[in-house]
Amino acid sequence: MTQARLEIIEKHKKNGVIFQDEESAFIDAEVTIGTGTRIAPNVRLSGNTVIGKDVEIGFNTEIENSTIGDGVKIRQSVILDSEIGALTTVGPFAYVRPHCVVGQGVKLGDFVEIKNSNIGNGTKLSHLTYVGDADVGEHINFGCGTVVVNYDGRQKHRTVIHDNAFIGCNTNLVAPVTVGKNAYTAAGSTITEDIPADTLAIARARQVIKTNWKRK
């Protein structure tokens, strides 16, 4: 470890930061870290990153030019040029791309990617979901396999999802589109029109059974 790296690590240790493996921690001089934060091996904190108090930063995590609120838990994830609210959980294997603002108590689970989006307090994106160019309200549940279809080949379009909506598994939200408050989408739907509040949108073909198909 170089003298410069050692001095940075020692400064944070004196401020109550706990390193599981100092040799594999790479912290830029501009980074600030709150008391009680725990940093696992192979962590990179760079740029003007600000880490709050009592944060858990897991193995193989990279955070660049981002603000992380108090009590956040991050596992094996990448966060770039974004803001994560207090008590949110990120990962494992989540990717927060630039210009995201994530609220408090949010869940960004495994293989979730968000980009240029606002995510409201208490919303859950548990797994296998992409949200790009979207304004997402509070206490929304995203089923696995949800995709915000934000690019038409020429332009990016925004999606708006209001509070307490429920997005069923394998839903495609084709932007620009708005999902109303308390609205639901049925699993497997491709949504191309706005959904009013307090409604259920079903956008899928009926199942057809072909008898004796295999034998033929």
Side-chain angles (χ1 to χ4, degrees):
M1 184 185 296
T2 65
Q3 183 64 28
R5 282 186 60 207
L6 179 61
E7 290 175 358
I8 292 170
I9 296 294
E10 288 300 322
K11 178 189 72 173
H12 290 300
K13 287 172 63 179
K14 289 179 181 178
N15 290 332
V17 178
I18 302 165
F19 292 89
Q20 189 174 343
D21 180 13
E22 299 171 14
E23 290 289 338
S24 66
F26 295 85
I27 315 293
D28 282 3
E30 298 82 6
V31 172
T32 62
I33 308 175
T35 301
T37 289
R38 306 176 68 89
I39 297 178
N42 295 340
V43 167
R44 172 69 169 165
L45 306 179
S46 62
N48 297 313
T49 289
V50 177
I51 307 294
K53 298 178 181 178
D54 301 314
V55 174
E56 296 183 16
I57 303 177
F59 182 76
N60 279 352
T61 291
E62 177 183 357
I63 303 174
E64 179 179 296
N65 294 323
S66 295
T67 300
I68 309 299
D70 295 344
V72 170
K73 296 182 180 180
I74 304 166
R75 296 181 60 199
Q76 294 162 290
S77 295
V78 176
I79 301 172
L80 307 175
D81 299 285
S82 293
E83 180 180 337
I84 307 296
L87 302 176
T88 285
T89 61
V90 180
F93 313 117
Y95 185 17
V96 180
R97 292 167 57 189
H99 311 303
C100 289
V101 178
V102 178
Q104 299 184 11
V106 172
K107 180 178 181 180
L108 303 178
D110 51 290
F111 305 104
V112 167
E113 178 178 345
I114 63 174
K115 166 250 179 188
N116 191 29
S117 294
N118 303 303
I119 309 295
N121 297 335
T123 286
K124 295 182 179 180
L125 300 85
S126 294
H127 35 220
L128 301 170
T129 293
Y130 172 71
V131 174
D133 301 293
D135 298 302
V136 177
E138 298 185 353
H139 304 291
I140 293 165
N141 186 84
F142 284 79
C144 65
T146 297
V147 175
V148 171
V149 186
N150 58 324
Y151 185 49
D152 65 5
R154 292 185 179 181
Q155 293 180 312
K156 301 290 179 67
H157 301 278
R158 291 197 76 80
T159 292
V160 178
I161 306 174
H162 290 283
D163 296 348
N164 300 306
F166 188 99
I167 310 301
C169 293
N170 288 329
T171 292
N172 295 308
L173 298 169
V174 182
V177 72
T178 297
V179 178
K181 187 175 182 180
N182 299 316
Y184 280 63
T185 70
S189 292
T190 295
I191 303 299
T192 58
E193 300 177 1
D194 292 349
I195 304 174
D198 302 306
T199 62
L200 168 64
I202 306 171
R204 61 192 184 200
R206 288 186 177 274
Q207 180 172 312
V208 177
I209 303 296
K210 300 291 187 178
T211 58
N212 298 318
W213 181 86
K214 183 178 179 181
R215 186 174 63 184
K216 290 179 181 178

